[in-house]
Amino acid sequence: MTKKPGAREDALPAIAEVFREYGYEGASLALIGARTGLGKGSLYHAFPGGKAEMAEAVLDAIGAWFEEKVYAPLRDDPDPRAAIRLMLSETDAYFRSGRRACLVGAFALTEGRDGFADRIAGYFRDWREALAQALIRAGRPAAEADSLAEDAVLTIQGGLVLARALDDPAVFGRMLGRLDMRLVS
Amino acid sequence: MTKKPGAREDALPAIAEVFREYGYEGASLALIGARTGLGKGSLYHAFPGGKAEMAEAVLDAIGAWFEEKVYAPLRDDPDPRAAIRLMLSETDAYFRSGRRACLVGAFALTEGRDGFADRIAGYFRDWREALAQALIRAGRPAAEADSLAEDAVLTIQGGLVLARALDDPAVFGRMLGRLDMRLVS
DNA sequence: GCTTGTCTGTACCGATCGGTACAAACAGCG
DNA sequence: CGCTGTTTGTACCGATCGGTACAGACAAGC
């Protein structure tokens, strides 16, 4: 009885990248196998549920990363303005200054079915609410904070779409600059 | 020698809807056939280039629609503020107040290859530039107009993503309201 | 050494993919 | 009516899809 090491966790980043680039439908098992270096045997051993389970695991990992690195500071950091600045810089780093697509956004646009919808909605809802909380703690009125938070989350998504559509990562950087002015003036 | 009627044009809206909902990869010919009511024979007669030609035709049709209904007024309407308001209302109607996804945005996130990239980039570039021109004509400084226009285009895309992700069309309406304030204060 | 259970490569499955071939059905024109 | 060319349904193609079966390779415990 050998233990199962983090083979699953090791493969996740590569799998995520394939989903990111090709979307759920476009990410074939052949592609995933090639990028992870894993054969079908290993893949289905680590993810018995197949492609759907891989997507769920990837979405969970992304959600956990943002929860830890972004949402938690927004909620708990004693300096809310610093937490918002951290959010902007972590976002810039995570999306490689606009060169990387947002998997959650891509899934949101195409998929309708599956249990993915809940995770996707949760990801954005958590972000919006954590940011609104930080804005309130920074002294903004509640209504303004809600509006500002929703605008920020949606603006980041739009920045990713436009940067990729125009094939111009600078769009993403300019958008973050404007967000910084709006959020922590 | 019977003439070829607008069979191609007739089928385009239905095809566009399939691409919108399922993405390029997810839109199978079986699905397209079912939604258009056309068999493979008719489909390949109207679009000899197959799925790729269908996608190109759909993108061209969308581009032409926005050019006529939105970009041209932004550039030419003697009242630029009215043209911007028209843009917002046409956008709201076109995307069914957030219930409809943006095909161009969806393609932008997944595809990298193909000749689609040019059309996709052109669609957003034209929008951004036409809006910037209207803002300048409305009295904004050039730099501010460019920044505002890019922000507006990207915000609309983000609004579509978030509205769909949260399954809450109201997000789209709130976003348009904020845009109205920013653009035509 | 052998056993036991975890891994993994390979062959294979039915279904479906996008695309082609082609023969009927059809409309206009004489 | 034939004739001509367009439009369509249907059968079919090889390739690939996601997924399964399973026999070996492997590591740990005895």
Side-chain angles (χ1 to χ4, degrees), chain B residues 32-65:
Chain B
I32 295 175
R35 287 278 262 275
T36 55
L38 266 42
K40 281 193 173 187
S42 319
L43 236 30
Y44 272 84
H45 182 75
F47 304 91
K51 200 170 155 181
E53 186 176 343
M54 296 179 207
E56 288 174 14
V58 164
L59 287 173
D60 285 345
I62 293 175
W65 190 91

Side-chain angles (χ1 to χ4, degrees), chain A residues 39-59:
Chain A
K40 281 193 172 188
S42 318
L43 238 28
Y44 271 83
H45 182 75
F47 304 92
K51 200 170 156 181
E53 186 175 344
M54 297 180 206
E56 287 174 15
V58 164
L59 287 173

Side-chain angles (χ1 to χ4, degrees), chain B residues 13-26:
Chain B
I15 299 178
E17 222 56 39
V18 177
F19 278 130
R20 233 182 274 276
E21 291 180 34
Y22 299 92
Y24 183 77
E25 309 281 350

Side-chain angles (χ1 to χ4, degrees), chain A residues 8 15 19 24 27 29 32 44 47-60 107 114-116 119:
Chain A
R8 191 181 152 110
I15 298 178
F19 278 130
Y24 184 76
L29 289 192
I32 294 175
Y44 271 83
F47 304 92
K51 200 170 156 181
E53 186 175 344
M54 297 180 206
E56 287 174 15
V58 164
L59 287 173
D60 285 344
F107 274 28
D114 307 312
F116 300 160
R119 290 167 214 258

